[in-house]
Amino acid sequence: MVKRISLEYLVTLVINMIVFILVARLFINQEMAAHAIFRLMTLNLAISAIEVGLYNWAFRHRQQPVTAMTHKVEAMLKDEEPAHVLLRKDNDYYELAMAINRLQTHQQKGLRSKAQQGEELRLLLSYLPIGVMVIDRYRKVEMANAAMAEFLQTEIKQRRHPYTQDIHQFELVSLIGQVFSEKKSARKVITLPGMPTEKRVEVSVIYTSTSEDFFQILVLLYDVTEIYAVEKMQMDFLSNASHELKTPVTAISGFAETLQAGAKNDPEALNQFLDIIQKESKRLTELIQDVLSISRIESQSISQQKMSDIDISELVDEQLSTLQQMASVKHIVLVNQIPVGEVQHTDERKVVEIIKNLVSNAIKYNRDNGSVTVDYEATEQEWKLKVTDTGIGIAQNEQARIFERFYRVDTSRTKQVVNGTGLGLAIVMELVQSLQGRISVDSQRGVGSTFSVTFPIKQHQ
Ligand code: ADP
């Protein structure tokens, strides 16, 4: 630009010289010496050279802001942060410089919020429990988060690489392959090997495209192991409950029908069958009550607890006296060893239910003339209730299972027929857990059992 303008100025200068010579020839005396013309020409040339210099200097001076703005825009294009171009208000380029400065501020804001969003997304992805992997159209991994690496039990390289380097599980590889060929999203629940146990994982392979040839595949893995386990537990509970309910109902209706069919006329059969019907009705009522208890505890939240200060010894006394009659049948002695005045802040109804269940089991599974003892221990953080009996005991391999719903130890060996639903200890466990406590059993076959429940000490609010 500067060169072009200097050239134009030189052309003007030459024309100026030619015009000067012509004018000199026309108006200046013929006898005027040639050397005088030469001198005048030299003077003209010198003046013109000074003019060119001045012109160039003025041009460069005017051009300076344009050069500065050009450099600034070039730096902005490289996402750099060049300094603002500051011009005087009377400068011709003042408005343009201000507009570029504003544009830069706007661009910086955009870049900063883009960087922040990028950082937020990176953080979100790194903490997300869902495995995320982005695969490009060349079947290469563009990005994968930590959860994905954990699901696949491998280290995923940052550099782009074929997804088959990370994913080896057949079902997963073929599901991704299917999405690539059909260009349609797909979803499936698969099993992935895991430590310590395998995992049920819901896989979503999402096909995303912005144009016909530009597309990406998003692989999402979501651990559904627990959801499946809860679902299975609910299904098991339902089928066990309906099975357990059906047994007494079938017995009641069966014996009632037999009576109607004529057995009622036999006084001995009548008495025997009515006895069975009554026993089965009682069992049915107990079962329904237990099933209702379990679902009530499950649906109650911790905030629904009714906490108050309870004298534990008094509470145990009350429960022992209500169970005294049951114990007397087998001549079992009930002993409360808790000193009076041991007060704890807890939910009375739940603790009552726990004591009732543990003591009644200790009586049910006891020998004649045995004993049931209730003890208490407390530290600064915890308090504990222990129910010890002198009964049949529980074999080591059964001890973990007795807390399962509907699980009953086969008592045929002991020749003791004890009625029960198999839900008592499951209810106790739910209650203990709802009070943030824990339960344990220590038992020896033929010697007896001790059930301990431990709770954290709660301060009166
Ligand atoms: P239920 O007593 O109605 O059968 P529970 O859930 O209360 O159901 O107990 C589950 C099983 O654990 C019982 O069937 C019994 O075999 C065993 N059990 C529970 N408490 C004792 C105990 N104190 N002594 C021996 N066995 C026990």
Side-chain angles (χ1 to χ4, degrees):
M1 177 86 163
V2 174
K3 276 183 194 155
R4 192 173 64 81
I5 288 170
S6 303
L7 193 73
E8 274 171 12
Y9 198 77
L10 272 172
V11 171
T12 320
L13 185 70
V14 172
I15 294 169
N16 185 17
M17 297 277 291
I18 295 166
V19 171
F20 172 80
I21 292 166
L22 289 175
V23 170
R25 278 196 178 277
L26 273 176
F27 296 102
I28 298 173
N29 187 343
Q30 289 289 321
E31 289 100 55
M32 197 170 184
H35 71 268
I37 293 172
F38 180 74
R39 264 191 210 146
L40 270 174
M41 258 177 74
T42 315
L43 185 67
N44 186 25
L45 201 66
I47 292 168
S48 296
I50 292 168
E51 263 180 50
V52 169
L54 281 173
Y55 182 84
N56 260 344
W57 177 83
F59 180 78
R60 282 224 176 88
H61 185 71
R62 264 175 68 80
Q63 194 67 12
Q64 229 172 25
V66 178
T67 314
M69 284 187 286
T70 311
H71 288 156
K72 184 180 169 76
V73 172
E74 273 164 4
M76 279 166 64
L77 281 173
K78 290 182 206 152
D79 288 344
E80 288 170 7
E81 267 187 78
H84 276 346
V85 175
L86 299 172
L87 299 180
R88 287 161 58 111
K89 262 201 169 162
D90 55 0
N91 191 302
D92 290 347
Y93 298 111
Y94 175 77
E95 288 299 333
L96 181 61
M98 291 302 281
I100 292 177
N101 290 345
R102 281 198 298 274
L103 181 67
Q104 187 197 6
T105 312
H106 182 74
Q107 186 205 30
Q108 290 303 326
K109 263 193 207 161
L111 284 174
R112 264 195 288 275
S113 89
K114 202 172 121 194
Q116 198 184 338
Q117 279 173 5
E119 180 58 15
E120 279 169 8
L121 186 68
R122 199 191 59 75
L123 257 178
L124 180 79
L125 284 174
S126 65
Y127 285 106
L128 202 67
I130 298 173
V132 181
M133 180 181 271
V134 181
I135 305 173
D136 68 12
R137 62 199 158 134
Y138 305 109
R139 301 182 182 233
K140 295 210 167 149
V141 177
E142 277 188 352
M143 176 264 167
N145 68 348
M148 179 57 92
E150 204 178 309
F151 272 113
L152 302 174
Q153 290 183 14
T154 184
E155 232 175 75
I156 301 179
K157 281 185 240 136
Q158 294 281 321
R159 215 166 13 90
R160 277 173 78 240
H161 59 277
Y163 73 86
T164 42
Q165 280 183 11
D166 306 319
I167 303 175
H168 307 295
Q169 209 269 350
F170 174 72
E171 277 179 292
L172 192 51
V173 173
S174 44
L175 192 69
I176 296 171
Q178 177 196 321
V179 173
F180 265 105
S181 55
E182 292 179 7
K183 298 193 182 312
K184 223 171 77 194
S185 303
R187 162 186 285 231
K188 197 174 185 182
V189 175
I190 64 166
T191 305
L192 283 183
M195 297 293 281
T197 50
E198 52 186 28
K199 283 180 178 159
R200 298 285 289 166
V201 177
E202 188 177 303
V203 186
S204 295
V205 185
I206 300 159
Y207 176 83
T208 56
S209 77
T210 41
S211 67
E212 178 61 24
D213 9 282
F214 186 80
F215 68 89
Q216 280 177 319
I217 302 271
L218 184 65
V219 183
L220 302 176
L221 301 189
Y222 181 55
D223 190 346
V224 288
T225 317
E226 258 179 50
I227 299 173
Y228 267 64
V230 170
E231 242 171 52
K232 186 176 176 309
M233 229 172 76
Q234 285 173 341
M235 294 300 290
D236 287 353
F237 178 68
L238 266 180
S239 78
N240 279 333
S242 42
H243 173 77
E244 294 294 325
L245 289 169
K246 234 162 83 186
T247 317
V249 171
T250 314
I252 293 167
S253 68
F255 283 105
E257 269 171 34
T258 318
L259 286 176
Q260 275 173 339
K264 64 177 180 228
N265 301 322
D266 174 357
E268 205 181 314
L270 179 66
N271 272 340
Q272 194 194 345
F273 289 0
L274 282 177
D275 223 33
I276 295 171
I277 289 175
Q278 198 210 356
K279 257 197 206 150
E280 291 299 324
S281 312
K282 202 169 151 236
R283 184 169 141 73
L284 194 61
T285 315
E286 278 172 9
L287 246 169
I288 293 169
Q289 269 168 356
D290 281 356
V291 170
L292 288 176
S293 286
I294 284 222
S295 47
R296 196 185 53 230
I297 304 163
E298 273 180 348
S299 62
Q300 259 175 9
S301 66
I302 289 175
S303 59
Q304 280 171 293
Q305 269 165 191
K306 290 205 178 83
M307 305 293 279
S308 60
D309 285 342
I310 311 292
D311 185 312
I312 305 296
S313 183
E314 272 179 24
L315 197 75
V316 169
D317 263 346
E318 281 166 28
Q319 293 318 304
L320 293 189
S321 52
T322 57
L323 293 165
Q324 187 57 59
Q325 204 197 344
M326 182 182 170
S328 312
V329 178
K330 288 165 86 178
H331 309 287
I332 291 168
V333 190
L334 303 180
V335 187
N336 176 7
Q337 288 198 325
I338 309 172
V340 182
E342 290 292 344
V343 175
Q344 290 298 342
H345 191 66
T346 186
D347 185 321
E348 182 176 351
R349 275 184 315 152
K350 289 187 176 176
V351 178
V352 163
E353 194 81 3
I354 292 167
I355 297 170
K356 205 162 69 186
N357 269 295
L358 291 180
V359 175
S360 67
N361 272 355
I363 299 171
K364 272 195 321 190
Y365 301 101
N366 216 320
R367 61 178 164 79
D368 284 350
N369 304 310
S371 68
V372 176
T373 313
V374 188
D375 281 315
Y376 171 91
E377 279 170 24
T379 63
E380 267 186 22
Q381 289 86 32
E382 293 181 326
W383 63 281
K384 185 193 264 190
L385 272 182
K386 288 202 294 187
V387 179
T388 305
D389 65 57
T390 50
I392 56 173
I394 308 153
Q396 194 72 31
N397 59 336
E398 306 268 19
Q399 287 177 14
R401 300 211 58 193
I402 53 173
F403 299 101
E404 288 173 21
R405 293 169 181 190
F406 297 109
Y407 188 81
R408 303 201 71 212
V409 177
D410 180 9
T411 48
S412 55
R413 259 176 291 103
T414 58
K415 296 188 194 76
Q416 252 193 3
V417 183
V418 184
N419 286 330
T421 60
L423 283 173
L425 286 178
I427 292 174
V428 170
M429 182 136 107
E430 294 270 353
L431 288 166
V432 169
Q433 283 172 351
S434 76
L435 291 168
Q436 289 106 52
R438 54 185 196 276
I439 184 164
S440 63
V441 60
D442 181 17
S443 181
Q444 207 183 330
R445 281 255 298 276
V447 179
S449 315
T450 299
F451 283 84
S452 308
V453 283
T454 312
F455 305 101
I457 290 189
K458 300 268 167 174
Q459 297 306 330
H460 182 81
Q461 310 268 325

